[in-house]
Structures are given as C-alpha cells and as structure tokens.
C-alpha cells in the first residue's frame, strides 16, 4: 500500500482519539511515525495497525475497518479528490461501476497501486449485488463504510449492505478474495414539505394551486408553438418529453436515434480508431486498427486468436467471452505477449492497451476500443511510439502531456515530504539537545533563575525568612590527598557526590556548590517549604549512609564525613555573568559551616536553632552534645542527629519502589516566604543592625547567633529592612583555604561587608 492509506489511518486515530493514542498505537505496532504519500509500504504495516487498534479499543476488526472506510472517504475529499469523486456517476450504481476507471486513472500517479475491483450485478428480482474483489484478505469490511458514506454525502440516501457470500474467486485468475454484498438503497424522506403543508394556511394552499395551474398553461402554450415531430405523438407525450413532474423533481427524457445504415467506410473506421480489435465468440480476430497492426504485426494474420498475442491484466479474469461479458462494465487492460513480438521489439517494454469492451449481439462479436496505456513521454519513447500514432480525438495524447507535468509535481512533492521529514527529525534532535543543555543549566542554577537568565532578564536578590543549610566534608581529606594519585581522589569524590546528588532529588533540596571535599545543600531555597529542616535532616542521614558505600583509597575502609546543620534567614541571588552562580549570603551560612567544622566524624552536628524546629515533630532521635566553644560565636549548646524514628534507611535512600519523596508538602504559605528586597529604603542599614543587636540583648545570650529560634517564626521582620552580612570567608588563618564559605572573620583579617537592599 502507498503511504496515503497509512497517513489516512494515522489522521483518523489522531482526530478521533488524540495524539497520545496514535503514539501508543504506533509503538505497539512497531511502525514509523510518519509516512510518505507516494512511497510504497508493506501491507503488513497497515494490518498490524488495524490489529493493534482492535486490541487497544477492545472492538472487533469489523467496527474498526468500517470506521476507517467512512473516514477514508472524507480523507480523500479533504486531499483534493472531492470533485473527481462527485463526477463519477449520477447515482450510486454508476458511481460504483466507475470506481475501477478511477483506480486506473490514479494508477498513472500511483504506478504500483494494487486497488480492489468492484462489479454491480442487477438481479431479475430487482436486487442489486455488489461484487468486491481484492488481493488482500480480511479488509472487506471497509467497503460498507465507504459506500454508506458516499450514499449519504453525494446522493442523500441511506444504504444497508449485507454479506451474502465470501469465497476465493474462481472466475478470476489466481486466488482472490471475492465478497458479495446485497445492497439496499433508501432515499431519505424529507419532512420539510410535509411540515410546510401542515403549517400553511388555506390561502397559501390556494396560491400554490393557482401557481401550478399557471405553470401548466405556460407549458401548453409552449407546446402549441412547437414544430411537428417526425413521428406522431400524443400531446401529453410531447409534454412529457419536455419535462416530467414527479415527486417535485424535473426529469429529462431522452430517446436515442440510430441510423439504418452505418455511413462509414471500413478503411476510414480502422484509421479513425487505430487501436481497436474486433473478435468473435471464439476470440478469433476479425479486424484491427492500423496502428495496433504496426506494433503487433501478428494481428494481420487471418484466423489468429486474440489470447495468443495478449493477456488480460485488469480485471484479472480468465480470457474467454463469458468472463469478459460478466465484467463488461469494467475497464480492460491487455498486455502483449513478449514471445509473440518480432525479435527487434522483444527487448523493449511490452505494450499495454486500455479501453472498453462492447458486445455486438447481431454480429455475435466483441469490439475492444482502446488506446496505449502510457504514463509519460518517456514510456512513449521506450515503446517506439509517437504522439502522431494516437488519434487526434483520443484524449490519451493530452493525458500523457498532462501526466508528464503531474509526475514532475509528484517528484517535487516527494522531495518536499522528504525534506519535511528530515526537518522534523532535525527538530526533534535539536529539542533533545536543547533538553540536555537545559538539564545541565538547571543543574547549575534553580529552574526559575535559569529561565529568567535565558530570557535576558535580571535576577533580583531575594530574602528567605527561614531555611536550613547543610555543610559536609571528608574526615582526613588532606591526608588522603597527600597519599593518593589525583585520579584516585577524583574517582572517590565522584562516587560520593553522585550518591549525594541522587539524594537531593529524593528529598527535594537544592545543591548550592561543592568545593573540594565540601558539599553544601539548602532546604527551603529557592522554593520555600515548611518541611525544609525535615528534608535536610533526612538528607544528612542519607549522606551518612551513602558515604559508607565509598571506600578510602588508602585504607580500603569506608570514608567518614562530618555534617553540620543550621537554620535561619538568608539572602539569595545570582553572582557573576560569565559563570553565574546562585549564592547564599548571611550569618546562617557562616553558622552552618561552623557546625560542620566543629563536628565529630560520622556524626550529624545540629545547631540549637535547627533542633528547635524539628524537635517537636517527634520524627527524629537526637541527643544533646552540650555547650561547646564555637569560633566567632562563643558558647553554643549543640546536638547530634541520630536517626529517623518513622522512616527506614531504604526510604531515606529512595530505595522503596514507587516512593521518591517521603514528605507531604504544605503549600499554604509558600508564597509568603519569598520577598524581593526593595532598593528604596536608604535608612535600612542602621535599622537592621540595631534590630539584630536588640534581639541578642533581649535573649540575654551574647554567645549565640543574632537570630534566635523565636525570631525565625516572627512576623515582625520586613522586606524593607537592609540586611548587612559579613561575607568574609571563615579562614582559621591567612593560608588556610579549607573552608571557602561565607562567615565571620578573625581579628587578623580585614572586614568586608556586603550591604544588600
């Protein structure tokens, strides 16, 4: 089948059931996504699509094929064949009888088309039988769908078709499927006139009656002025010959007139129809046209049989008078036998003739009026023919020239379809590469930040009232680096960070950066959430488990990490243009770093502020470490996070099937957490600093962070405040580059302040 059929089936599925259904059907059938209109595809593709459609929709093949038949008729009209189909016949029977002729014409464009054949048989009892012949078995249910749609659209009637017989055809050559349908056609009864009569008043009925009488008077007056006819006819016969009134329709009556003697010479007839053959009941050739004798010289021999020099290509019937009579309304295509041609012509392509069979009862002979079947000027030249060999009244001359242009248009259409398909594939590949680039970009920056940068917009800094930050590092990492090859360090960090990155997706926390062995994560930024501390705590537990799966390249033992957590407010924004990074600023970053640096190997060190947020939930088991001296902070009472009391290690690691997140999002106040910092209040620096010192004084504890647990949930903070943060790295000394995080400075380091509105 040509791609036109498969394209129609694809269009049907998309229009009735949607793109997703077609994609699923295509994958189930294992076929390509698009089809070229003029390209030939194996029949198995169409059959496979039909079979899978039956399974998907849970219906029989009869339903699917009939639906396809109805849609195929509409698809042909939409594809530009509407006028061609409408002019096939004046009624449904004529339409069906000329379908084979239409297929023969379409074969000029679709050379390899193997179309079915149709034959209408009128029975003595008035029944009309439709014979359907096809090389493809099992597709006959398409026929009722097509015929019913044609009758409804073109002839305003309803058709019911019943299968009477289904067998392998024995009248035709080879084994072909032959299905006989009983076709009953009913005209649609329009209720418009009946309703009009009921609604009309007596006056309107009287006016209608007078109009009819006036019409009859005009018709009689016209009859009186007519000339006398050659034969006597009654007056009403003459009126009926002009018009016939029936059911409100005007019908023309025509009676052909035949001459008593055929006024044409035998020689003139053979010249006027240079490609014709007359043969009798026994297929013996009586006479032929002059040009067919030139290309098949054996026809000049007296007493030869037609089947000695020709075979029937279409319809594929046995070459005898009985079979030809049965398919008399079909277009016949005959092909010359190569072995009967002269040696000079045996290397040339065989000549095909296409035309009409007519039975002459009085002579008991059949006449075959035909023309060479040619698609292009190239085929004309290959067979040694010229346009002059075809009679001037024969439209085959014009058809060859027009089809030559049509073939050029088809080739151009094929090229456009191929280019379109290539562009579609390139576009799809480009989209895949774009997704890869975006995935890489989103791994470096938050999604909404990356989208703003892609659009060329400026990303404003934003204040987050509360979030939880995590820092971690590898214990004795300096010693490991000193004793190992660089590639071993890279492999160790890659194995560890890959596991950590996977955990960020499970717990939906944002990875800020990695510097050396240090890993920084934040919860509640850039997407605010009320479960930020719980998420980061579970992430920390998962980190500890994952780190035990990575071995120390020196000892071969699992590596140990230190983890520190702290909760508080931060300011976040994009820094840089060449390699922009989403950075966090604020004392919370510094305190979280201190929790990690003052931690214990293989332990999760938690600040009092994080402890106050998660202690009341009853989810985690935690123990108090006691008061410790924290550099730049003084004495702080800290805690160790031991385990999750409600979730197993498998759930925390995301190893439970179908469970990628262990949280229930609370989005009620999500939009209230993120506020843009206003650049208008120039008096905010002193106010912010005074508020911070005031909170410390009220708490009575000068050794803790300026942000107290009570202030984390306070509604008194305003986005109009100027936040002043110390962003000097928390180095222990001028040469110590172990911690490259923002934090308070030592006395030996110059103070740097970042005033952000």
């Amino acid at each position: 089948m040509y791609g036109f059929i498969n394209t129609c089936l694809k269009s049907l599925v998309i229009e009735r059931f949607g793109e997703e259904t077609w994609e699923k059907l295509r994958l189930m059938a294992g076929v390509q996504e698009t089809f070229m209109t003029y390209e030939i595809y194996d029949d198995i593709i169409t059959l496979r699509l039909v079979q899978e459609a039956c399974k998907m929709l849970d219906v029989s093949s009869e339903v699917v094929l009939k639906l396809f038949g109805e849609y195929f008729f509409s698809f042909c009209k939409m594809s530009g064949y509407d006028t061609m189909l409408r002019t096939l016949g004046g009624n449904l029977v004529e339409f069906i009888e000329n379908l084979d002729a239409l297929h023969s014409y379409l074969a000029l464009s679709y050379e390899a088309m193997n179309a079915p054949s149709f034959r209408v048989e009128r029975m003595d009892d008035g029944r009309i039988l439709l014979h359907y012949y096809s090389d493809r078995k099992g597709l006959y249910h398409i026929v009722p769908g097509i015929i019913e749609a044609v009758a409804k659209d073109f002839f305003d009637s309803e058709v019911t078709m019943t299968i009477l017989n289904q067998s392998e055809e024995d009248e035709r050559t080879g084994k072909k499927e032959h299905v006989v349908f009983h076709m009953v056609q009913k005209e649609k009864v329009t209720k418009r006139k009946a309703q009009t009569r009921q609604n009309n008043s007596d006056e309107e009925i009287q006016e209608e009656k007078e109009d009819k009488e006036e019409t009859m008077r005009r018709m009689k007056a016209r009859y009186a002025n007519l000339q006398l006819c050659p034969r006597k006819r009654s007056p009403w016969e003459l009126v009926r010959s002009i018009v016939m009134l029936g059911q409100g329709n005007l019908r023309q009556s025509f009676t052909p007139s035949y001459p008593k003697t055929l006024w044409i010479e035998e020689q003139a007839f053979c010249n006027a129809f240079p490609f014709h053959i007359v043969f009798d009941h026994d297929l013996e050739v009586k006479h032929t046209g002059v040009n067919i004798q030139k290309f098949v010289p054996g026809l000049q021999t007296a007493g030869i049989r037609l089947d000695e020099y020709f075979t029937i290509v279409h319809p594929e019937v046995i070459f005898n008078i009985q079979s030809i009579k049965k398919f008399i309304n079909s277009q016949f295509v005959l092909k010359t036998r190569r072995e009967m041609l002269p040696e000079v012509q045996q290397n040339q392509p065989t000549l095909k003739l296409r035309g009409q069979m007519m039975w002459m009862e009085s002579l008991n002979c059949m006449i075959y009026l035909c023309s060479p079947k040619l698609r292009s000027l190239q085929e004309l030249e290959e067979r040694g023919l010229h346009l002059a060999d075809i009679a001037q009244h024969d439209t085959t001359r014009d058809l060859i020239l027009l089809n030559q242009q049509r073939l050029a248009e088809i080739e151009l259409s094929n090229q456009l379809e191929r280019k379109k398909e290539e562009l579609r594939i390139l576009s799809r590949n480009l989209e895949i590469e774009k997704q890869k680039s975006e995935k890489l970009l989103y791994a470096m920056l938050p999604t909404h930040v990356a989208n703003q940068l892609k659009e060329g917009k400026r990303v404003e800094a934003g204040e987050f009232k509360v979030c939880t930050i995590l820092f971690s590092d590898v214990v004795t990492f300096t010693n490991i680096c000193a004793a190992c090859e660089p590639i071993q360090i890279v492999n160790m960090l890659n194995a560890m960070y890959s596991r950590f990155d996977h955990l960020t997706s499970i717990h939906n926390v944002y990875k800020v950066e990695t510097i050396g062995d240090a890993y920084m994560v934040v919860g509640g930024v850039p997407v605010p959430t009320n479960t930020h501390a719980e998420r980061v705590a579970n992430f920390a537990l998962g980190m500890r488990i994952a780190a035990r799966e990575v071995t120390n390249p020196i000892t071969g033992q699992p590596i140990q990490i230190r983890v520190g957590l702290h909760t508080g407010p931060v300011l976040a924004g994009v820094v840089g243009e060449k390699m922009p990074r989403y950075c966090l600023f604020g004392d919370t970053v510094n305190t979280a770093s201190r929790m990690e640096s003052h931690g214990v190997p293989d332990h999760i060190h938690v600040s009092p502020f994080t402890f106050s947020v998660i202690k009341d939930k009853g989810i985690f088991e935690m123990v108090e470490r006691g008061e410790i001296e924290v550099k730049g902070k003084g004495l702080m009472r800290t805690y160790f996070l031991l385990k999750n009391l409600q979730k197993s290690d498998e759930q925390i690691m995301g190893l439970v099937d179908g469970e990628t997140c262990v949280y229930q999002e609370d989005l009620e106040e999500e939009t209230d957490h993120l506020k843009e910092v206003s650049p208008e209040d120039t008096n905010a620096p002193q106010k912010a600093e005074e508020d911070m010192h005031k909170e410390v004084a009220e708490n009575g504890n000068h050794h803790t962070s300026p942000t107290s647990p009570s202030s984390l949930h306070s509604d008194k903070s305003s986005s109009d405040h100027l936040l002043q943060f110390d962003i000097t790295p928390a180095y222990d000394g001028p040469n110590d580059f172990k911690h490259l995080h923002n934090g308070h400075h030592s006395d030996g380091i110059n103070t740097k302040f970042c005033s952000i509105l």
Side-chain angles (χ1 to χ4, degrees), residues 91 205 358 690:
N91 54 58
I205 295 175
M358 296 184 65
E690 290 172 0

Side-chain angles (χ1 to χ4, degrees), residues 268-282:
F269 183 85
C270 292
N271 288 326
F273 301 95
F275 290 92
H276 83 271
I277 305 174
V278 176
F279 55 96
D280 62 11
H281 192 276
D282 297 324

Side-chain angles (χ1 to χ4, degrees), residues 312-472:
I312 297 181
V313 177
H314 179 82
E316 299 179 21
V317 297
I318 301 173
F319 210 149
N320 55 45
I321 286 293
Q322 290 76 19
S323 298
I324 294 175
K325 283 184 177 181
K326 184 170 286 189
F327 291 85
I328 195 71
N329 291 322
S330 298
Q331 191 177 70
F332 278 79
V333 178
L334 271 57
K335 182 176 71 171
T336 57
R337 293 182 181 272
R338 189 180 298 274
E339 63 274 11
M340 301 301 294
L341 297 176
E343 294 184 2
V344 180
Q345 300 180 9
Q346 287 186 359
N347 295 328
Q348 297 178 355
T350 56
L351 177 65
K352 289 184 180 180
L353 301 175
R354 178 182 59 196
Q356 177 186 8
M357 294 283 186
M358 296 184 65
W359 177 249
M360 298 177 290
E361 188 66 35
S362 60
L363 300 177
N364 199 27
C365 288
M366 185 79 72
I367 181 172
Y368 179 46
L369 295 172
C370 57
S371 301
K373 184 183 179 182
L374 302 169
R375 298 178 67 246
S376 62
L377 295 174
Q378 181 181 357
E379 292 186 1
L380 184 78
E381 187 177 7
E382 289 175 350
R383 287 157 180 78
L385 288 167
H386 300 85
L387 288 176
D389 296 324
I390 303 174
Q392 294 189 7
H393 63 80
D394 193 343
T395 57
T396 303
R397 298 162 60 104
D398 301 326
L399 190 62
I400 294 173
L401 295 174
L402 290 174
N403 200 58
Q404 182 73 24
Q405 180 181 0
R406 168 68 174 162
L407 292 175
E409 293 174 354
I410 290 175
E411 180 60 29
L412 180 60
S413 176
N414 283 334
Q415 293 179 7
L416 290 176
E417 283 194 6
R418 294 190 191 99
K419 293 297 182 183
K420 180 181 177 181
E421 179 64 12
E422 291 176 3
L423 289 175
R424 189 188 65 82
I425 295 174
L426 289 175
S427 177
R428 183 177 60 185
N429 294 336
L430 179 62
E431 184 64 26
I432 293 174
E433 295 301 322
K434 180 183 177 183
Q435 292 176 0
K436 291 179 181 179
S437 301
E438 289 181 346
K439 184 178 180 181
L440 181 61
L441 179 61
Y442 294 151
M444 300 172 61
L445 294 170
T447 303
H448 72 281
V449 173
N451 291 335
Q452 292 183 32
L453 291 177
K454 281 168 43 179
E455 295 171 2
K457 298 180 180 178
R458 181 182 176 184
V459 181
E460 300 291 340
E463 176 193 354
F464 293 82
K465 290 183 179 180
V466 61
C467 67
T468 300
I469 298 177
L470 174 148
F471 279 97
S472 74

Side-chain angles (χ1 to χ4, degrees), residues 491-709:
N491 292 336
M492 181 190 74
L493 292 178
N494 182 59
M496 181 176 67
Y497 287 164
S498 297
R499 289 168 169 80
F500 292 173
D501 292 344
H502 176 65
L503 288 173
T504 60
S505 300
I506 295 173
H507 300 284
N508 196 19
V509 294
Y510 180 68
K511 173 186 175 183
V512 181
E513 63 180 348
T514 58
I515 302 177
D517 64 323
Y519 198 91
M520 181 180 177
V521 164
V522 62
V525 177
V527 180
T529 175
N530 288 338
T531 57
H532 56 89
E534 181 183 346
R535 292 174 181 275
V536 176
N538 280 322
F539 176 78
L541 293 171
M543 290 180 73
R544 191 170 61 179
I545 298 171
R548 293 168 184 166
E549 300 174 358
V550 182
T551 58
N552 187 325
I554 300 176
T555 63
Q557 299 297 319
I559 63 173
Q560 291 183 325
I561 61 173
R562 278 190 300 262
V563 182
L565 278 66
H566 180 59
T567 301
V570 296
L571 193 83
V574 177
V575 177
E577 293 183 356
K578 188 173 183 180
M579 292 184 63
R581 297 305 303 266
Y582 189 72
C583 298
L584 306 181
F585 302 94
D587 187 65
T588 303
V589 179
N590 176 59
T591 306
S593 176
R594 295 299 187 207
M595 290 297 100
E596 174 264 315
S597 60
H598 290 74
V600 179
D602 202 31
H603 282 68
I604 301 171
H605 197 200
V606 179
S607 72
F609 307 103
T610 304
F611 173 77
S612 65
V613 174
I614 62 177
K615 68 176 180 178
D616 296 332
K617 295 186 178 181
I619 300 175
F620 301 98
E621 180 181 349
M622 306 177 69
V623 296
E624 182 179 344
R625 182 183 182 183
E627 289 189 349
I628 63 171
E629 181 72 24
V630 179
K631 185 177 180 180
K633 297 294 181 181
L635 290 176
M636 290 183 66
R637 187 178 301 275
T638 60
Y639 303 84
F640 286 130
L641 173 63
L642 301 182
K643 64 178 180 180
N644 190 313
L645 299 175
Q646 297 181 359
K647 302 294 182 181
S648 64
D649 290 350
E650 288 76 12
Q651 289 175 307
I652 291 175
M653 296 297 293
L655 301 178
V656 179
D657 292 340
E659 187 174 355
T660 58
C661 184
V662 294
Y663 310 97
Q664 293 293 330
E665 289 289 348
D666 182 7
L667 303 177
E668 294 180 358
E669 300 181 357
E670 177 178 333
T671 56
D672 296 332
H673 288 286
L674 179 59
K675 294 184 178 179
E676 295 299 325
V677 180
S678 173
E680 298 176 356
D681 190 356
T682 57
N683 298 322
Q686 292 115 356
K687 185 177 179 182
E689 188 174 0
E690 290 172 0
D691 290 342
M692 292 168 64
H693 288 292
K694 183 178 179 181
E695 290 176 2
V696 174
E698 290 176 352
N699 293 333
N701 185 359
H702 296 274
H703 302 288
T704 59
S705 173
T707 307
S708 65

Side-chain angles (χ1 to χ4, degrees), residues 281-292:
H281 192 276
D282 297 324
L283 304 182
E284 182 178 336
V285 177
K286 297 302 182 181
H287 63 81
T288 61
V290 293
N291 285 342
I292 198 173

